[in-house]
Amino acid sequence: RKTWHLLGTFCVLLSFSFIFRECLDCENPSEWAVRLYYCCFVVVFQFGWASVQISHLSLIPELTSNKHEQVVLNGIRYAFSIISTVFVYLGIWLLLDTVGGGSADLGPDDKNVFEIMAYTVLGVGIVFVIIFHVGTKERALDAFKDEPAFQKKADWRKWFRRPGFYQAGVIYMASRLMVNISQVYTPLYILHTLHMSKHNIAIFPLIVYVSSFLATLVMDRLHKALGSRMTYLLGLILVLGACVWMHFQPGRYDCVKQSAVMSNHTVTPSVLTPISPCTRGYEIVYNHNVHVEAIFGAAVLLGIGGASVLVTSLSMVSHVIGRETDNAAFVYGAMSFTDKLSNGAAIQVIQVLHPCSLTSCCPACSPYYRMVVSFIPGGAAAFAFLALVWIVSSERLRALFSGRCCNTGSIQNDSAPIDVHFKHNSDYRTMS
């Protein structure tokens, strides 16, 4: 696992900075040439990132099979990912004020901000990768050769015959879809729908991740008090609440067709900005008495809800793996595959249906991004709820027909017994 982690880190180091730089030695390149140039680095980066993520996640079920300890480890892991993300957004916020372009709108003059941040992230990341590889000791499978579960090497194909594998995959895929689509499109929603200044594309995610970090501090207690399913359901409710909030939050102004301008609005042409131009036939209408900063309340709900569903879904995957850690990388890889596939398909559909050109925005951008940030994560939350009902129903049916809840790789209730409870204190502290 550590070898794959190191290989992934090397791929990230080779590719990440080039994604945020202008094309090297490119003089008047064609659009396809530029696209191919950046796609090569993106492919290398995604391979490296997947290697890092899967190898790191697969260490958790090896360190402990106790359900609550896995929740703690997943929570700690997610908390530190939040800390790193907050560091990035704080850096972008600071750089936009210092080395960014003087305009209030985001544009080509701000490219240096992202280049500097990319190099900073790589430098800090190298330090912590060294700490991880020096401080974390990976145990070989020989250490468990006397235990029954490790007498025979497991066949990875058996997972396709287990209902819990598909249940965990659906839950994890929906959770990542909620969080990732929100991350990708809320900056565009902030700029083109609410018409806020460019600094808010750093402030909004910052609030989201600070809220997520605070939520992870109480996640273990919440799991013990409510159980994993109720905790996940609570996260779904909060995400849905954030989606409803973002859908009905009015912006500073709107581009309205001249025939539809209402008498209780005041037309203010001075509000026209390059970021959301009103074309011929539209007039700019300023929404009076609108506190657009209220959207930060939705950021709090999104942060707490996103942390709840992600940590819980990862804990569900760890519970499905149990002590069969020799296939843990395959299981996490399959979960990551569904995550990447669903997110890629969703983003592709969103871009294909975009009402404006790829190079500029139009008045139709405002309602379009409003629908994207509300309907896509909200739909994923509704889909995850149906998956949760599926899990509960399938377990009750098995209990009804067999008289007990069989351990067939399903996502069991928190009160279900765990076959073996073991704890490796030294490795547990190192992973933390």
Side-chain angles (χ1 to χ4, degrees), residues 100-178:
S103 173
D105 304 320
L106 193 66
D109 292 337
D110 299 306
K111 62 182 180 180
N112 291 336
V113 171
F114 299 96
E115 291 183 12
I116 295 173
M117 201 67 235
Y119 289 121
T120 305
V121 166
L122 289 177
V124 175
I126 291 173
V127 174
F128 283 95
V129 165
I130 294 174
I131 294 174
F132 170 74
H133 280 271
V134 172
T136 304
K137 305 299 181 183
E138 181 182 7
R139 298 191 309 276
L141 289 177
D142 292 341
F144 304 102
K145 61 183 180 181
D146 296 329
E147 299 189 20
F150 291 89
Q151 292 292 329
K152 181 179 179 180
K153 188 172 180 62
D155 183 7
W156 58 269
R157 290 170 293 186
K158 69 181 180 183
W159 291 102
F160 294 108
R161 300 188 295 270
R162 297 188 176 183
F165 178 75
Y166 299 99
Q167 293 169 346
V170 171
I171 288 288
Y172 181 74
M173 177 187 70
S175 302
R176 295 302 309 184
L177 194 60
M178 281 182 261

Side-chain angles (χ1 to χ4, degrees), residues 362-427:
C362 65
C365 280
S366 179
Y368 185 71
Y369 288 129
R370 185 186 300 277
M371 290 189 297
V372 167
V373 298
S374 56
F375 291 159
I376 304 301
F383 183 68
F385 174 75
L386 295 178
L388 199 61
V389 173
W390 171 36
I391 293 171
V392 175
S393 301
S394 62
E395 286 190 358
R396 292 191 176 183
L397 285 174
R398 281 196 303 271
L400 179 65
F401 287 105
S402 64
R404 60 189 178 88
C405 186
C406 305
N407 185 11
T408 57
S410 62
I411 305 175
Q412 297 179 355
N413 196 7
D414 291 341
S415 59
I418 299 176
D419 293 337
V420 179
H421 178 94
F422 68 97
K423 181 177 180 181
H424 302 278
N425 291 324
S426 60
D427 293 325

Side-chain angles (χ1 to χ4, degrees), residues 247-304:
H247 183 74
F248 290 102
Q249 173 66 46
R252 293 188 185 277
Y253 61 88
D254 296 302
C255 292
V256 181
K257 288 185 177 180
Q258 292 176 349
S259 60
V261 175
M262 301 176 61
S263 58
N264 60 337
H265 288 106
T266 302
V267 179
T268 55
S270 60
V271 184
L272 182 62
T273 63
I275 197 74
S276 184
C278 289
T279 56
R280 176 179 293 182
Y282 288 83
E283 291 187 15
I284 299 176
V285 176
Y286 187 78
N287 296 319
H288 294 286
N289 301 321
V290 170
H291 300 285
V292 73
E293 291 79 10
I295 195 62
F296 295 140
V300 174
L301 296 181
L302 193 61
I304 299 174

Side-chain angles (χ1 to χ4, degrees), residues 28-47:
N28 299 322
S30 65
E31 180 181 348
W32 281 103
V34 174
R35 185 175 300 178
L36 179 62
Y37 173 86
Y38 284 107
C39 280
C40 292
F41 291 111
V42 170
V43 168
V44 175
F45 170 77
Q46 288 295 340
F47 173 82

